[in-house]
Amino acid sequence: MPPGPSAPTVAPDPSLSWSAPLTPGGVPGHTRPVVSFGQPEGYDADARPRPLGRRGASQTAAAAVCLVLGLGLVSGAVTGSWLVGDPGEKGTRSTYTAAGSLWHSVPVDQLFPPTVQGRGAGPGGADRAWTRIAVAPDRGCKDAFDPLLHKVLAPVGCARLLRATYTDATESHVTTVGLLFTTADAPGMTSLANRFRKERLDRRTDLMPLPYAAKGTPAADFGAGQRASWTVSVLTDAPVVVYAVSGWADGRSVDDPQPAEDALASGATSAPAQAGLGHEAQGLADRIERDLRKNVRSATEQPS
């Protein structure tokens, strides 16, 4: 499927580029078709009938009826096209394309805010707050996932992978959130999303995302063995996979990691569930996804 027209891009501030150095917790140094009709012969500017020479009154009335019916048919056809959302409509393609280009047109702080508020995101509906402690350099997907997850994601391709790690207010938990920008079209993303749903791939421990551990931060010891809870969301209205994986900041190993969906369930008794690590992963992933959608709307609303 050929790509749609590219959405306008915004040149990022060099100081906010993905390659700029970061310190822990720091801030990186449609066109509508026009249908017109001529003035119907035999009518004045106010659509009042005037003498039409040899035409009789019945002919005049018939002409007026045809004009009204014709306008109604044209208007109905055009309106129907907008309501059903013609897949070939420029706006639809532009929105999808805009989402796929955000990784190089939007500053770091808009994709991964320095602080994220999670009202009602904690256990029992408690409020949460997360502070960004590290942003990984933007990169491709080589060695970014465990081999099996890499294989599952391969059909949608990899344009760019962006990651950031956050800690909670007590610095006892760490969570890495990732945005995988794919090269797939909408049907490709829908196919992958359907596979995740039908095969419940987001609940398999052998398909957990990897964390981003940054030296000199509370996440320094956040490795593969420290993964406690996770979530993976394959978007279908944007070429993006959003994920998050959480663990303890003290580097303790986890023998029984649990998907966030299970850890959030009422009565869950696993260690990740009791510690609220399912809430950490799901809450942060949800809010980063919301910010992503806000950035897409902003990009498509910019004048061309």
Side-chain angles (χ1 to χ4, degrees):
M1 178 182 296
S6 299
T9 59
V10 179
D13 186 332
S15 68
L16 296 177
S17 72
W18 287 99
S19 58
L22 272 172
T23 56
V27 177
H30 309 251
T31 59
R32 173 177 175 171
V34 177
V35 181
S36 61
F37 295 87
Q39 181 79 7
E41 182 182 358
Y43 286 78
D44 61 18
D46 296 318
R48 292 187 297 254
R50 63 170 182 251
L52 297 174
R54 295 193 182 98
R55 292 187 180 180
S58 61
Q59 290 176 303
T60 301
V65 170
C66 289
L67 174 63
V68 171
L69 289 174
L71 284 170
L73 289 171
V74 172
S75 175
V78 174
T79 302
S81 176
W82 294 331
L83 288 176
V84 300
D86 185 349
E89 190 177 344
K90 178 180 179 181
T92 301
R93 295 196 305 268
S94 295
T95 299
Y96 190 89
T97 302
S101 66
L102 290 181
W103 67 268
H104 63 74
S105 63
V106 173
V108 176
D109 285 355
Q110 288 181 228
L111 292 175
F112 297 127
T115 58
V116 177
Q117 298 299 320
R119 181 170 298 178
D127 293 343
R128 306 296 287 172
W130 299 280
T131 300
R132 192 184 69 202
I133 56 176
V135 176
D138 67 325
R139 56 176 292 182
C141 292
K142 180 176 171 52
D143 302 323
F145 300 105
D146 285 336
L148 190 55
L149 180 55
H150 181 85
K151 181 178 180 180
V152 169
L153 296 173
V156 295
C158 173
R160 218 63 171 181
L161 175 63
L162 309 183
R163 296 171 296 166
T165 297
Y166 289 77
T167 186
D168 67 322
T170 65
E171 294 192 354
S172 58
H173 301 147
V174 285
T175 304
T176 292
V177 60
L179 296 174
L180 167 61
F181 289 82
T182 77
T183 59
D185 56 15
M189 294 300 292
T190 298
S191 177
L192 181 64
N194 287 339
R195 184 183 177 195
F196 262 78
R197 184 182 68 256
K198 292 176 181 178
E199 300 179 26
R200 303 176 74 82
L201 301 183
D202 57 336
R203 304 165 71 88
R204 286 176 45 169
T205 56
D206 56 352
L207 293 176
M208 282 191 292
L210 286 170
Y212 173 63
K215 295 180 180 179
T217 74
D221 297 321
F222 188 23
Q226 285 69 46
R227 293 174 291 184
S229 191
W230 77 98
T231 181
V232 179
S233 176
V234 181
L235 307 189
T236 57
D237 54 350
V240 182
V241 176
V242 183
Y243 69 83
V245 56
S246 62
W248 281 277
D250 60 9
R252 76 181 73 174
S253 297
V254 180
D255 295 327
D256 56 345
Q258 187 174 38
E261 183 178 348
D262 290 348
L264 267 67
S266 176
T269 59
S270 69
Q274 293 293 305
L277 287 166
H279 291 81
E280 297 289 303
Q282 190 67 62
L284 191 53
D286 285 347
R287 280 145 187 86
I288 294 300
E289 182 179 329
R290 291 178 197 175
D291 286 342
L292 176 74
R293 295 183 184 281
K294 289 178 185 177
N295 283 305
V296 173
R297 286 196 295 271
S298 296
T300 56
E301 287 170 1
Q302 291 175 4
S304 56

